[in-house]
Amino acid sequence: MKKDIVSYSCEELRGEIEKLGEKAYRSRQIYAWLHEKGAVSFDEMTNLSRGLRERLSQEYMIVRLELAAHQISRKDPTEKFLFELSDGNQIESVLMKYNYGNSVCISSQVGCRMGCRFCASTIDGLERNLTVSEMLRQVYEIQRISGERVSNIVVMGTGEPLDNYDNFVKFVHMVSDEHGLHISQRNITASTCGIVPNMRRLAEEGLQITLALSLHGSSQEKRRRLMPVANKYKLSEVMEACDYYFQKTGRRVTFEYSLVEGVNDKDEDVKELTVLLKKRKCHLNLIPVNPVRERNFKKPDSKKALEFENKLEKNGINVTIRRERGSDIDGACGQLRRRFAVEKKES
Ligand code: SAH
């Protein structure tokens, strides 16, 4: 089995290349080919000798993602990519173009074992973790296919990044490395359902990324109804871990709250949310829940969602409603991958 060269950090690659009897600057050239230019074959690496390119291709492979589907929204500048991995599993990633730059939403796992009730990604459970190279290549392939430069990354696709902790942290280091894409860590956001020990560990990594916490319920009891992970980690512990993250990194935590009609969109929720967030320096993102075929959750109508937002704002909470993107292209959370899986089964 050839070694996965795209998963090697700069230092690791140097070690590998030195073992081949090559000078250190060669490894920097190779790293730049792989991570700055997104090379897909050793033949492209024209500043290396043919002999070295051959040796590399005998020992190493460059992981690729095959484009299985590409959907471009007609409503807004959003594109969705379904990628096939070398083992046949499929993952999805999204490109969203904004005035300030291009943002890519990537997956961190094939499937997910967290079981959030409204989420399409978790229906068949966790298949496996993504490797570092599979996370990186989502960004590289999107740049290559779209011809756009990516400036922001959100790890909010399928999977729980803190359930694939080591690969996720290495991904952040590599994608922000000056010898690679050099994306500022401040432009990277990772969303977690609230795995407390790993949130605390992340706070101590010395990273500058934004942590987003999927809150979805304003009390322990309400959160538990939507998110099984709340059985393991209480809301109070999760909030303490968020405070710790802010204290250690100076980065404000973003709270995400999927609004579900009749479940968590009441006045009582406004009150509880205010108590929970008022004393914290944070931002609250409201996401009207995206209906998933297998689940019967509805989103509140836009008037109701606006009222919910206004009430929180009046209470002094820093809050926005996330504008829906790509709703015509299965934009939400695991829905494209899901549709393909279902179609495969049904055909
Ligand atoms: N596992 C991580 C990241 C992946 S999901 C987490 O839980 O945060 C990214 C965000 O989308 C999370 O806040 C998640 O709860 C939310 N989400 C998932 N399915 C959704 C749906 N159908 N409608 C609205 N938000 C959803």
Side-chain angles (χ1 to χ4, degrees), residues 34-46:
L34 293 172
H35 299 284
E36 208 183 301
K37 305 189 188 94
V40 292
S41 81
F42 293 107
D43 287 337
E44 284 175 56
M45 305 184 181
T46 44

Side-chain angles (χ1 to χ4, degrees), residues 109-116 121-122 125-127 159-160 163 195 228:
Q109 296 179 314
V110 181
C112 183
R113 58 183 178 142
M114 296 300 139
C116 298
S121 299
T122 198
L126 176 68
E127 181 66 32
E160 167 52 50
D163 190 37
I195 300 184

Side-chain angles (χ1 to χ4, degrees), residues 108 112 114 116 118-121 155-161 190-194 212-216 227 256-259 287-292 322 332-333 335:
S108 56
C112 183
M114 296 300 139
C116 298
F118 45 81
C119 181
S121 299
V155 189
M156 291 191 183
T158 296
E160 167 52 50
S191 179
T192 180
C193 61
L213 187 270
S214 296
L215 186 61
H216 306 321
M227 307 175 72
E256 294 161 285
Y257 192 92
S258 299
L259 272 172
I287 317 159
V289 78
N290 285 297
V292 170
R322 188 183 295 164
C333 324
Q335 303 212 33

Side-chain angles (χ1 to χ4, degrees), residues 211-324:
L211 183 65
L213 187 270
S214 296
L215 186 61
H216 306 321
S218 54
S219 67
Q220 166 62 12
E221 190 40 43
K222 282 185 198 146
R223 198 166 182 265
R224 213 177 52 78
R225 274 184 235 148
L226 290 171
M227 307 175 72
V229 70
N231 289 314
K232 192 147 183 206
Y233 306 111
K234 286 208 188 68
L235 181 57
S236 56
E237 295 172 77
V238 174
M239 297 307 283
E240 276 166 27
C242 290
D243 293 343
Y244 186 67
Y245 191 85
F246 177 57
Q247 186 197 321
K248 281 280 175 190
T249 63
R251 309 283 298 155
R252 285 184 188 202
V253 173
T254 299
F255 292 92
E256 294 161 285
Y257 192 92
S258 299
L259 272 172
V260 188
E261 188 189 63
V263 175
N264 63 4
D265 63 345
K266 304 194 185 81
D267 279 346
E268 179 192 288
D269 298 298
V270 171
K271 249 193 226 154
E272 283 176 355
L273 272 175
T274 304
V275 173
L276 199 61
L277 301 181
K278 181 91 195 209
K279 53 181 183 282
R280 296 184 157 91
K281 277 205 167 73
C282 64
H283 186 92
L284 176 64
N285 233 327
L286 302 175
I287 317 159
V289 78
N290 285 297
V292 170
R293 189 166 122 168
E294 293 82 350
R295 305 278 190 251
N296 53 3
F297 287 121
K298 288 199 196 77
K299 66 170 102 181
D301 63 41
S302 50
K303 190 169 151 262
K304 187 104 201 276
L306 260 173
E307 277 171 18
F308 195 85
E309 184 195 23
N310 286 338
K311 285 176 195 160
L312 284 162
E313 207 159 42
K314 268 200 202 113
N315 292 351
I317 304 296
N318 182 1
V319 55
T320 46
I321 298 184
R322 188 183 295 164
R323 208 159 53 84
E324 191 175 46

